[in-house]
Amino acid sequence: MAKTFGTRIAVFGIGFALVFGLAGIPAPAALDMYVGARTVVRNESLSSCNDKAKHALISVLGRAASYGDTGNWEGIGAIDTSGNSFAAAAVHCYPLDQVRGYVVTFTCAAQTPPATETAGVICDKLAAAFGGQP
């Protein structure tokens, strides 16, 4: 019993040292997340927001898709030879009846490296391509 207990302590000690030893090693890549602009647009239809979201995502990332009739749009960046993309963004269009318009938000992510732009840069480009910013 004492030998089993000693073995467990030794394994625990090695595992503990390994985990905390590896914690100091820098990661080869980082996931960069950014919540971009939130804008209220007055006297425009929700379909206008959806059109602008689709075109902004295509112009910045190259691809756009919606989740049915929800006002949620997703775009991904270029796909590498392994079928992976390292940049993505979402544009959300929500109706605001009190101003006869909508609110639009932008959320972006990038894995750096290999993505060449940060999530903040992607969101700024999306907001500019979307237009209608104050």
Side-chain angles (χ1 to χ4, degrees), residues 48-126:
S48 171
C49 183
N50 287 324
D51 290 341
K52 289 179 181 181
K54 178 182 177 182
H55 294 297
L57 285 165
I58 289 171
S59 71
V60 173
L61 293 173
R63 292 173 177 72
S66 70
Y67 291 105
D69 194 22
T70 63
N72 293 313
W73 289 84
E74 173 188 282
I76 60 170
I79 297 174
D80 69 6
T81 57
S82 301
N84 299 311
S85 175
F86 300 99
V91 180
H92 310 280
C93 298
Y94 302 109
L96 290 176
D97 294 334
Q98 62 269 30
V99 297
R100 286 178 271 148
Y102 57 83
V103 63
V104 61
T105 63
F106 303 90
T107 308
C108 304
Q111 181 180 337
T112 54
T116 57
E117 297 177 321
T118 66
V121 169
I122 294 169
C123 270
D124 290 345
K125 286 183 174 183
L126 271 178

